[in-house]
Amino acid sequence: MNRLLDAFRGRDKASAALLLLATLAAIAWANSPAGDSYATFWHTEVGLVVGDWSLGLDLHALVNDALMAVFFFVVGLEVKRELTIGELTERSRAIVPIVAAAAGLVVPALLFWAVNAGTDAAHAWGVVISTDTAFLLGALAIIGPKHPARLRLFLLTLAVVDDIGALAAIALFYGDDLAVGPLVVAAVLLVALVLVRRLPVDHGPLYLVGGVALWFALHEGGVHATLAGVALALVIPVAAPRRRDVEQVADLTRAFRQSPSPAYAAAARRGIRRSISINERLDGAISPYVSYLVLPVFALANAGVRLDGPTLEAAATSRLTWGIVLGLVVGKLVGITAAAALVPRLGWGRLAPGLGIGRVASGAALSGIGFTISLLIVSLALDDPRQQDEARVGVLLASALAFALGWIVLDLLDRVRPNEAVGAHLVRPFDPERDHFVGRPDAPLVLVEYLDFECPFCSRATGSVDEVREQLGDDLVWVYRHFPLDRVHPHAREAAHAFEAAERQGHGLELGRRMFAHQDALEREDLLAHAAELGLDLDRFERDLDRASIARRVDDDADDAELMDLSGTPTFFVGEARHRGPFDAATLVAALEATRRQQDA
């Protein structure tokens, strides 16, 4: 978990750094003695001619319409993944960032409109609705708050919904005059792309050809052609890796190791590709180019606002400029924070464990960094070059202020509410509506255990817990949470999934005890055999084993354990305080009784 987070931080920092360098380079170029060459270069005409048909674009339009289609393709892949197997598949998990993102779209637009109502710039409200995901995550990585995992996940989920809203706004409000014929062709192409997955051939080249054709159809149809990237991404299938496919790859690799041959090598490569959905393969292949090439080139082509005296003087008194600053800096902060605070109070959802409203407010402040799509909509919504410059000044100023405000809020949080020693107390108290437990939920004594079904010490601790329960009876509630140690126990995570699948049929504890008793038999076939011995519905059990909701349920517990820096299993918490030392029955009873005395004192 920590290594993965460090990797994300490194990539986020690098992407944000390149964006910033490209932005500064564009500003420096536009304000240099050769500043006139900036506009001249980006308005250089390029074209494509086929017979009597031709397509002419300048370099600026080529970047904004063609290269940005690749950016939106990657955004679309993420949207499809989140909607299918990610954070947005569960209502209870997704409702807070979804509603917060919606508020973060509406409130900034209303503030902008309130400032610019009655002017010819009022329709440019779309400039303030979008957050720049690359800059946002890069800023979070640069600030480096303690324990950023939950905040980063919240902001990623929010950014996905934010992107959907921004793309919808571009499609509905910032397109050109529509042409029916090309749009009919685009609809037919979309249907064909949906059917590509059924063909017994390599799908990649077909998606590429179909995507390019779709781009041309939308461009000729008057819809902003970048939406071709989103549309293509949404029809590309995504699925979680299936264990049988992964195991088949292991078999093929083993065969190649035993008898190296071109045939086995080719089969292993095909197996590896098939084990990962094409959505994730494409995302992994294209995302680096988007982060390190497409977005910096976009910044270079769009951030070159002339910051001379007249421009800055006009911006200082421009309702357009200050409407953008107000919308992005204040609107995002107020809208997202208020919604995130209101939704749990209404009982519609709850914040993820370990994520408080203070952290949400800091993320909301950073969400005012509205660079990439904001600059794109500037060029779509405004035709007057003077207004475009004023709007770009507003976007740049708002992004700088949002970064500074987010940094200040996060720094104040770490100073005012310093984190206690990691792992000294539970980051998430016992919750009867969510946790697995045995005993009365209102019992005065609470024993929380983080366990691993492949850990021999956890197996022995089960006997200790049984003795503790016998001695304390109804005064004790035992809470058990997952912490699969994947590095040393290769079957622990799927065993945890099996427990959750059995729990859905009311037999989680029975399967758990059986897995502890047969820790040398935790392969998938063994788990199915255990389930059959308990009389479970095997079809339902096997379907549940692969459900993304069950994987996330296990990951939630494991993330909490990582956040507390737990390093082994079993780990016990007496009440909310971590128990250190032996975990035999007598020691645990003594610790629980000491807690009772403290409560009575």
Side-chain angles (χ1 to χ4, degrees):
M1 175 77 174
N2 292 333
R3 287 195 297 269
L4 182 61
L5 187 58
D6 288 341
F8 276 129
R9 285 176 181 166
R11 178 168 168 177
D12 292 343
K13 283 183 179 180
S15 177
L18 281 175
L19 264 176
L20 181 59
L21 288 174
T23 301
L24 295 176
I27 294 173
W29 183 1
N31 290 275
S32 70
D36 292 341
S37 66
Y38 179 84
T40 302
F41 175 79
W42 290 112
H43 285 96
T44 302
E45 289 288 332
V46 294
L48 176 65
V49 178
V50 179
D52 295 332
W53 177 87
S54 64
L55 174 66
L57 297 171
D58 60 21
L59 287 178
H60 185 267
L62 184 65
V63 170
N64 285 9
D65 291 358
L67 276 186
M68 287 304 287
V70 181
F71 165 74
F72 283 118
F73 175 68
V74 172
V75 171
L77 290 175
E78 182 181 12
V79 169
K80 177 66 176 288
R81 195 162 56 250
E82 293 296 332
L83 289 170
T84 306
I85 61 174
E87 289 296 317
L88 301 184
T89 58
E90 273 191 40
R91 176 185 176 278
S92 61
R93 185 68 176 272
I95 190 66
V96 177
I98 287 176
V99 175
L105 294 168
V106 174
V107 174
L110 290 176
L111 288 178
F112 175 89
W113 185 85
V115 173
N116 289 274
T119 72
D120 58 354
H123 66 287
W125 53 266
V127 174
V128 301
I129 65 175
S130 182
T131 296
D132 189 296
T133 306
F135 259 137
L136 173 66
L137 298 181
L140 187 64
I142 291 169
I143 296 170
K146 296 179 179 178
H147 310 308
R150 294 292 188 187
L151 177 58
R152 188 182 190 279
L153 186 59
F154 178 88
L155 292 177
L156 270 176
T157 306
L158 183 144
V160 168
V161 182
D162 184 284
D163 288 336
I164 293 174
L167 295 173
I170 291 173
L172 296 174
F173 301 105
Y174 297 109
D176 299 323
D177 294 334
L178 301 182
V180 176
L183 293 181
V184 171
V185 173
V188 172
L189 285 170
L190 273 176
V191 173
L193 287 167
V194 170
L195 298 176
V196 163
R197 72 178 69 183
R198 301 181 181 276
L199 298 177
V201 294
D202 187 1
H203 299 157
L206 294 178
Y207 283 129
L208 174 61
V209 173
V212 172
L214 181 63
W215 186 92
F216 280 107
L218 290 178
H219 183 276
E220 295 299 302
V223 175
H224 200 270
T226 53
L227 296 180
V230 180
L232 176 62
L234 292 180
V235 303
I236 291 178
V238 60
R242 295 181 299 179
R243 187 168 183 84
R244 66 173 66 94
D245 293 335
V246 176
E247 290 175 344
Q248 184 179 22
V249 171
D251 293 338
L252 290 169
T253 304
R254 189 180 306 112
F256 175 76
R257 187 171 63 248
Q258 294 172 350
S259 179
S261 71
Y264 279 141
R269 284 196 299 270
R270 288 194 301 270
I272 291 172
R273 286 174 56 82
R274 283 196 300 266
S275 67
I276 303 297
S277 70
I278 188 171
N279 174 291
E280 293 174 285
R281 295 203 306 269
L282 289 172
D283 189 22
I286 298 174
S287 288
Y289 294 99
V290 169
S291 297
Y292 303 138
L293 179 62
V294 172
L295 291 180
V297 169
F298 172 84
L300 189 63
N302 287 271
V305 57
R306 183 176 288 275
L307 299 178
D308 54 15
T311 300
L312 293 177
E313 183 178 350
T317 58
S318 169
R319 292 164 67 178
L320 172 59
T321 300
W322 290 109
I324 290 172
V325 173
L326 183 67
L328 284 172
V329 178
V330 178
K332 286 289 185 182
L333 174 61
V334 172
I336 293 171
T337 305
L342 182 61
V343 169
R345 288 181 178 273
L346 295 176
W348 297 350
R350 67 178 91 182
L351 288 170
L355 183 63
I357 196 65
R359 283 294 176 95
V360 170
S362 67
L366 289 174
S367 297
I369 303 175
F371 189 80
T372 304
I373 298 181
S374 292
L375 290 178
L376 177 62
I377 296 179
V378 165
S379 64
L380 297 176
L382 300 168
D383 295 325
D384 184 350
R386 176 183 57 82
Q387 287 186 325
Q388 288 183 351
D389 282 345
E390 292 174 7
R392 291 187 180 111
V393 170
V395 171
L396 295 175
L397 178 59
S399 298
L401 290 175
F403 175 69
L405 181 60
W407 195 328
I408 290 170
V409 174
L410 278 171
D411 186 65
L412 285 176
L413 279 176
D414 285 341
R415 291 174 183 272
V416 174
R417 295 183 180 178
N419 290 325
E420 62 182 15
V422 177
H425 294 84
L426 279 174
V427 295
R428 178 168 51 83
F430 167 47
D431 181 356
E433 294 185 2
R434 180 197 178 281
D435 279 314
H436 301 303
F437 64 92
V438 176
R440 292 189 300 118
D442 60 344
L445 302 176
V446 180
L447 181 65
V448 180
E449 178 184 1
Y450 282 85
L451 54 80
D452 173 319
F453 288 107
E454 200 173 359
C455 170
F457 301 105
C458 293
S459 177
R460 298 188 195 113
T462 302
S464 299
V465 172
D466 289 341
E467 291 184 33
V468 173
R469 289 174 52 209
E470 288 178 8
Q471 292 188 47
L472 298 178
D474 288 342
D475 286 345
L476 175 72
V477 57
W478 169 51
V479 183
Y480 43 99
R481 295 175 177 173
H482 301 289
F483 186 27
L485 302 175
D486 303 294
R487 293 183 297 275
V488 292
H489 299 145
H491 307 101
R493 188 166 295 273
E494 187 156 29
H497 294 179
F499 173 90
E500 292 292 335
E503 185 69 10
R504 291 193 173 190
Q505 300 187 41
H507 293 279
L509 274 178
E510 292 93 327
L511 182 63
R513 292 187 179 279
R514 189 172 184 87
M515 290 189 294
F516 276 139
H518 301 86
Q519 289 185 320
D520 59 342
L522 295 178
E523 296 282 352
R524 191 180 186 91
E525 294 76 11
D526 301 319
L527 298 175
L528 292 171
H530 297 326
E533 288 289 332
L534 295 174
L536 303 185
D537 181 337
L538 289 185
D539 289 337
R540 178 184 174 188
F541 178 81
E542 189 164 18
R543 286 196 304 272
D544 287 342
L545 266 179
D546 295 321
R547 288 194 188 279
S549 58
I550 277 182
R552 283 193 301 277
R553 175 65 176 76
V554 173
D555 290 342
D556 276 348
D557 284 354
D559 286 347
D560 290 337
E562 293 278 5
L563 187 62
M564 294 183 290
D565 200 29
L566 306 187
S567 57
T569 53
T571 296
F572 288 95
F573 288 81
V574 176
E576 294 185 16
R578 184 171 178 177
H579 172 75
R580 300 183 184 275
F583 49 82
D584 58 277
T587 302
L588 291 176
V589 169
L592 288 161
E593 291 290 1
T595 300
R596 190 204 300 269
R597 289 192 295 272
Q598 291 174 1
Q599 292 172 349
D600 295 340

